[in-house]
Amino acid sequence: MPASPNQKVAFVTGANGISGFAIIEHLVRQPKEEWVSIIVSSRRPLPNAWVDPRVQFVAVDFLEPVETITAKLKHICADVTHTFFTSYVHDDDFKVLRDKNVPLFHNFLDAVDTVCPKLQRVCLQTGGKYYGVHLGPVKVPLEEHFPRYDDKGYNFYYDQEDYLREVQQRRNAWSYNIIRPNAINGFAPHANGMSEVLTIVIYMLICKELSQPAHFPGNEYFWNSIDDNSYAPSLADLSVWATTAPHTKDEAFNHTNGDVFVWKHMWQDLAAYLGLEAPEPQFKKAVGQANTLANEIDMVEWAKDKKPVWDRVVAKYGGKTFAFDWGTWGFFNWATGKSWLTISSVNKARRLGWSRYDRSFDTWIETYQSFVNAGVLPPRQALIGN
């Protein structure tokens, strides 16, 4: 229990996801005099146990009735001061996402507003889809003040943000932050709907096993374009900073690592790191900017018969056979098949005092190593023979 106004109690949802896991990892590294308790939740049990005694787990499905949720949370969350909502139900069909993700957040917010009388700040994580980057070319760099586009009722982020402000104004007892990352990379202990680095590594290692070059599956425009990423530990750092700084109340912040990269060089550098060839592609599609996706290789189709090959990779070099099923092939199509830029500005967070920077290539290697440490992917030493 908080003994003073400076002591905080966190409630983190989506503990098995990339963002939720990273926030918990960040919080357990903070002084116990500041964060005295860290309550974490997910629908599924945690595959790993945090040895930090401040961490307490509660299994919650935020698609259950609010009454059921509040009954589960009313005692364990009574002292919560800061909530971090990272729960998300993924579908590769953007139009379907609203059906699950709107009630998911409504139920969460209604529950914590009821059972957390000491609540000070609510952190809602949304993302680049707020700006319409999933639909076609947009104005870049993306800035937090941009007006909403005509979403035809499909963008669930708009509903989530509107409901957040509605409940806050009704209660007038706590403040909020909204965090909008781009293409999150990081470790997660379970399958995740948008796991870019894991999927690329699996793809490249299967190409290696088949004695084939690791061809870029996207298009010529994106191969030569700049992009940015959000590293989950950095995203966690921004989220905790924003929700604990007094001058950032009721503000939205974009998140990226602070740099940009060219896909051509990122792809070839990662391939070289894993001991593969990634030659300059001979593209047939989408030379310039376009309004539709264009993929030289349909990764969903490509992956359909590759599970036995991955099993051979694991038998030779290590890792887990189930990792193949964690590959997010549909998202990978979108991530590499765009013919437009999706760059975000983090100037607002910089102006208000957030100072972390990360080199994106380093974060890809760190993400890969995290999966190696967890036994999910084979180690580099086995792959390159050193």
Side-chain angles (χ1 to χ4, degrees):
M1 295 176 59
S4 72
N6 294 326
Q7 292 184 322
K8 307 173 185 68
V9 174
F11 178 41
V12 185
T13 76
N16 280 314
I18 292 177
S19 298
F21 185 88
I23 290 173
I24 299 164
E25 286 283 292
H26 183 86
L27 289 173
V28 298
R29 288 166 171 77
Q30 307 309 306
K32 63 181 180 181
E33 294 78 15
E34 179 182 1
W35 293 94
V36 297
S37 183
I38 304 164
I39 299 155
V40 306
S41 76
S42 71
R43 288 176 296 169
R44 295 172 290 185
L46 299 178
N48 62 295
W50 278 279
V51 296
D52 192 310
R54 291 175 294 172
V55 177
Q56 303 176 67
F57 173 75
V58 54
V60 181
D61 182 349
F62 289 107
L63 291 176
E64 292 183 329
V66 175
E67 295 77 15
T68 303
I69 298 167
T70 55
K72 292 180 179 179
L73 299 181
K74 65 180 180 179
H75 296 301
I76 194 170
C77 289
D79 292 314
V80 164
T81 59
H82 293 71
T83 66
F84 299 88
F85 181 82
T86 70
S87 300
Y88 173 73
V89 178
H90 182 70
D91 194 289
D92 288 333
D93 184 346
F94 292 118
K95 295 180 179 180
V96 175
L97 289 171
R98 178 184 175 88
D99 296 342
K100 294 289 181 67
N101 286 287
V102 165
L104 195 75
F105 181 67
H106 281 220
N107 292 347
F108 158 81
L109 192 59
D110 288 343
V112 297
D113 189 52
T114 299
V115 305
C116 304
K118 301 177 183 179
L119 188 61
Q120 299 175 21
R121 199 79 66 98
V122 174
C123 183
L124 166 64
Q125 179 176 298
T126 60
K129 288 191 289 291
Y130 177 90
Y131 303 105
V133 299
H134 54 303
L135 300 175
V138 293
K139 181 180 179 181
V140 293
L142 306 168
E143 297 187 72
E144 293 88 348
H145 63 82
F146 281 8
R148 295 177 176 179
Y149 68 92
D150 181 7
D151 72 322
K152 310 299 183 185
Y154 288 122
N155 195 323
F156 68 90
Y157 288 156
Y158 295 169
D159 187 287
Q160 288 182 334
E161 293 193 10
D162 289 345
Y163 195 65
L164 175 66
R165 295 184 177 101
E166 176 188 328
V167 175
Q168 184 225 20
Q169 291 169 9
R170 186 169 69 225
R171 275 289 307 278
N172 196 29
W174 42 264
S175 54
Y176 67 82
N177 289 104
I178 298 163
I179 311 297
R180 300 173 185 152
N182 263 1
I184 307 168
N185 279 308
F187 175 78
H190 274 301
N192 182 277
M194 297 179 287
S195 188
E196 193 170 64
V197 169
L198 174 76
T199 305
I200 293 173
V201 170
I202 292 172
Y203 168 68
M204 286 187 170
L205 295 187
I206 288 175
C207 290
K208 179 183 177 76
E209 177 64 19
L210 294 173
S211 299
Q212 298 173 355
H215 290 298
F216 183 68
N219 58 68
E220 184 175 8
Y221 177 87
F222 216 59
W223 174 253
N224 292 301
S225 293
I226 59 171
D227 203 1
D228 57 18
N229 274 174
S230 288
Y231 186 35
S234 174
L235 176 58
D237 185 85
L238 174 70
S239 300
V240 174
W241 167 81
T243 54
T244 54
H247 65 292
T248 58
K249 291 180 179 179
D250 303 335
E251 296 284 356
F253 294 100
N254 290 337
H255 177 273
T256 66
N257 297 336
D259 69 350
V260 295
F261 61 88
V262 178
W263 267 98
K264 171 180 179 177
H265 303 304
M266 180 71 90
W267 188 267
Q268 292 181 327
D269 288 349
L270 180 63
Y273 183 84
L274 297 173
L276 286 90
E277 292 289 332
E280 186 79 20
Q282 300 300 310
F283 290 105
K284 301 177 182 178
K285 299 179 181 178
V287 175
Q289 187 183 78
N291 294 321
T292 57
L293 295 177
N295 295 82
E296 294 288 325
I297 303 171
D298 183 330
M299 295 307 302
V300 174
E301 289 297 318
W302 176 90
K304 284 182 176 179
D305 62 353
K306 299 302 189 296
K307 178 63 163 60
V309 185
W310 177 251
D311 292 347
R312 298 205 306 265
V313 171
V314 170
K316 286 183 179 181
Y317 305 112
K320 301 295 185 185
T321 57
F322 63 70
F324 184 85
D325 298 322
W326 290 13
T328 54
W329 309 107
F331 173 73
F332 194 27
N333 272 345
W334 179 82
T336 60
K338 298 189 297 295
S339 302
W340 58 88
L341 298 178
T342 59
I343 303 297
S344 283
S345 168
V346 291
N347 284 340
K348 180 178 179 180
R350 300 291 187 223
R351 287 196 305 269
L352 292 180
W354 186 65
S355 59
R356 175 165 174 161
Y357 288 86
D358 288 271
R359 180 172 178 256
S360 288
F361 180 74
D362 293 341
T363 70
W364 281 38
I365 300 306
E366 290 173 14
T367 297
Y368 163 67
Q369 186 60 44
S370 296
F371 282 106
V372 171
N373 292 346
V376 176
L377 293 177
R380 179 172 183 258
Q381 292 83 354
L383 297 171
I384 62 176
N386 291 333

